[in-house]
Amino acid sequence: MLERQIIKLREEGYRITPQRRAILEFLSGNTSHPSANDIFAGVWKNDPSISLATVYNTLEILAKKGMLLELPIAKNTLNYDPDTSPHDHAYCTGCGTIIDIFPEKTASPQAGVEIRGFQVQSSRKVFYGKCDKCLEEDR
Amino acid sequence: MLERQIIKLREEGYRITPQRRAILEFLSGNTSHPSANDIFAGVWKNDPSISLATVYNTLEILAKKGMLLELPIAKNTLNYDPDTSPHDHAYCTGCGTIIDIFPEKTASPQAGVEIRGFQVQSSRKVFYGKCDKCLEEDR
DNA sequence: GTCCATGCAAACGATTTGCAGAGTT
DNA sequence: AACTCTGCAAATCGTTTGCATGGAC
């Protein structure tokens, strides 16, 4: 899984640096939808010499190559999702947590949408609301 | 239509200033999904004394009162939509244009979605792709 | 050895904040 | 008159960029 990613990156002509490896490792299987800063912090714990610029650089490459989704969900920041399979997201407006919602649960139709004058490449659906924990705290 | 908005704002306890009136006027019937800066520029043409801070302040109030949707679609900015009725959006990754997509066209199901451990308040669907004009330019 | 990638620091753009004066109610 | 709202300017925050050095190939 992680190895596949590394091989693909190399095949695309990118060099495999320790930093890129560490970022891919951090993302692998990560379902927390981290921001660039979260990823920076996570990698930083093992290697305090890494820079934010490198993280952004790597994330941009991964996104461009379709190995990572950029999620514009929260107000002023991007979140990233290493799971590129079709699925939706639920965003808690209380705590900002983003959880994965898989198709069978929401019956979100992905197939054959046609919009006149527009060529659809992908689609995203986001549910806004509150998680149980935040509902609890509202009382 | 515009008057309704003004009345509602006043009922909510906000003062009706010329700036707020101008912003509501600019937004009324506007289907271009403007950014805060677009709105500022639009209002500025008639009243060059308005400040960006006032625009942000007003947009925040309108959004909080459900009179305006905040669309986190583009990478690093918010776009606003005065049409709060249920509909989707298509975002052109070429030119950044956002167009409205109404339910009948995409069969997007809005009713009764249930997610365990999460109370859904609303949902948004965005189609990413290219508009005809940008497809043209790619050749 | 070549050329891409890194870390650092400065630059940027969108948004937010603090505050004194102006305007709505 | 009371209290909110405005414009201005500075501050913040996420992200991007320029550049000299370092490292993957």
Side-chain angles (χ1 to χ4, degrees):
Chain A
M1 168 106 226
L2 210 190
E3 277 314 309
R4 277 272 147 273
Q5 304 272 68
I6 292 174
I7 290 169
K8 166 148 198 194
L9 249 199
R10 177 177 284 123
E11 284 174 352
E12 294 282 0
Y14 294 103
R15 295 181 179 171
I16 306 305
T17 65
Q19 293 84 342
R20 288 180 178 169
R21 204 181 282 275
I23 291 168
L24 279 174
E25 200 169 321
F26 178 81
L27 288 174
S28 184
N30 188 317
T31 59
S32 70
H33 309 90
S35 66
N37 208 51
D38 294 336
I39 296 167
F40 171 68
V43 173
W44 186 90
K45 278 192 294 191
N46 294 320
D47 172 14
S49 74
I50 196 171
S51 80
L52 236 195
T54 296
V55 172
Y56 274 107
N57 166 32
T58 301
L59 295 179
E60 185 178 355
I61 291 170
L62 296 177
K64 181 161 54 183
K65 292 306 170 183
M67 300 165 69
L68 184 64
L69 296 181
E70 296 174 322
L71 307 178
I73 296 181
K75 258 178 135 172
N76 293 315
T77 189
L78 274 185
N79 291 84
Y80 295 88
D81 191 344
D83 180 354
T84 59
S85 69
H87 65 286
D88 302 322
H89 295 97
Y91 174 74
C92 175
T93 54
C95 60
T97 299
I98 298 173
I99 61 178
D100 290 315
I101 306 294
F102 290 92
E104 62 273 19
K105 293 185 183 170
T106 59
S108 175
Q110 295 292 38
V113 172
E114 287 192 19
I115 299 174
R116 200 157 52 92
F118 191 89
Q119 183 169 307
V120 175
Q121 286 164 351
S122 66
S123 68
R124 299 279 167 71
K125 184 159 192 175
V126 180
F127 297 91
Y128 291 85
K130 292 242 176 146
C131 67
D132 281 354
K133 198 192 298 174
C134 286
L135 280 176
E136 198 69 43
E137 289 170 0
D138 283 354
R139 300 212 192 93
Chain B
M1 169 108 225
L2 212 190
E3 278 313 309
R4 276 273 148 273
Q5 304 270 69
I6 292 173
I7 291 169
K8 166 147 196 192
L9 249 200
R10 178 177 283 125
E11 284 174 351
E12 293 282 2
Y14 294 103
R15 295 186 177 167
I16 307 305
T17 65
Q19 293 85 342
R20 288 181 179 167
R21 205 181 280 274
I23 291 169
L24 280 174
E25 199 169 321
F26 178 82
L27 289 174
S28 184
N30 189 317
T31 60
S32 70
H33 309 90
S35 64
N37 208 51
D38 295 335
I39 296 166
F40 170 67
V43 172
W44 186 89
K45 278 193 295 191
N46 293 320
D47 171 14
S49 73
I50 196 171
S51 80
L52 238 194
T54 296
V55 172
Y56 275 107
N57 167 30
T58 301
L59 295 179
E60 186 179 353
I61 291 170
L62 295 177
K64 181 161 54 182
K65 292 305 169 184
M67 300 165 68
L68 183 66
L69 296 180
E70 296 173 322
L71 306 179
I73 295 181
K75 257 178 137 174
N76 294 315
T77 189
L78 274 185
N79 292 84
Y80 295 87
D81 190 344
D83 180 354
T84 58
S85 68
H87 65 285
D88 303 324
H89 295 97
Y91 174 74
C92 176
T93 54
C95 60
T97 299
I98 299 173
I99 60 178
D100 290 315
I101 305 296
F102 290 92
E104 61 275 19
K105 293 186 181 168
T106 59
S108 175
Q110 295 291 41
V113 173
E114 288 193 19
I115 299 173
R116 199 157 52 92
F118 191 89
Q119 183 168 307
V120 175
Q121 285 162 351
S122 66
S123 69
R124 300 278 167 71
K125 183 160 192 173
V126 180
F127 297 92
Y128 292 85
K130 293 243 178 146
C131 66
D132 281 353
K133 199 192 297 175
C134 286
L135 281 176
E136 199 68 40
E137 289 171 0
D138 283 355
R139 299 213 192 93

